[in-house]
Amino acid sequence: MEKTASTRQLKVAREIQKELAEIIRAKGMAAFDGALVTVSEVRVSPDLSVAKVFVSIFPSDKQGEVMHILEENNKALRGELGHKVAKQFRIVPELIFLLDTTLDYAEHIEELLKK
């Protein structure tokens, strides 16, 4: 059973989401094989050492490629994040990129409803 996140966890998660979204946006779609990458949610562990970063990717047929690009550049992204949040955080959490499938799910439901 997962405990609800503390205020501090939520603040850290919001800050990471905002900064990572900005870093990814600044890189542009070309860096991600022409896909649109959105940081939809960030969940931080209670000790603030790990951040699960949920990303939604459009078009969805590029998900595998983009997830690979994110993993390949994980250290660099964490480094950039570190520069942006150095004043607020003592440690920059380890980033774990996960695919946010809520858009695909909504699309699937929409398809089913059309039938």
Side-chain angles (χ1 to χ4, degrees), residues 4-56:
T4 55
S6 71
T7 307
R8 181 156 170 73
Q9 276 173 276
L10 294 172
K11 280 183 181 170
V12 168
R14 265 197 308 272
E15 188 63 26
I16 290 171
Q17 181 177 359
K18 186 182 81 149
E19 295 299 345
L20 259 183
E22 183 58 35
I23 290 166
I24 288 171
R25 190 197 58 75
K27 290 195 179 309
M29 288 170 69
F32 299 102
D33 196 38
L36 180 65
V37 180
T38 310
V39 180
S40 54
E41 186 184 356
V42 175
R43 293 185 196 149
V44 183
S45 64
D47 66 355
L48 308 178
S49 67
V50 178
K52 289 182 180 176
V53 181
F54 291 86
V55 291
S56 57

Side-chain angles (χ1 to χ4, degrees), residues 36 38 40 55-58 60 63 100-110:
L36 180 65
T38 310
S40 54
V55 291
S56 57
I57 298 161
F58 184 83
S60 55
Q63 288 174 344
D100 181 354
T101 55
T102 50
L103 270 178
D104 293 339
Y105 182 70
E107 221 171 78
H108 177 68
I109 296 296
E110 219 168 275

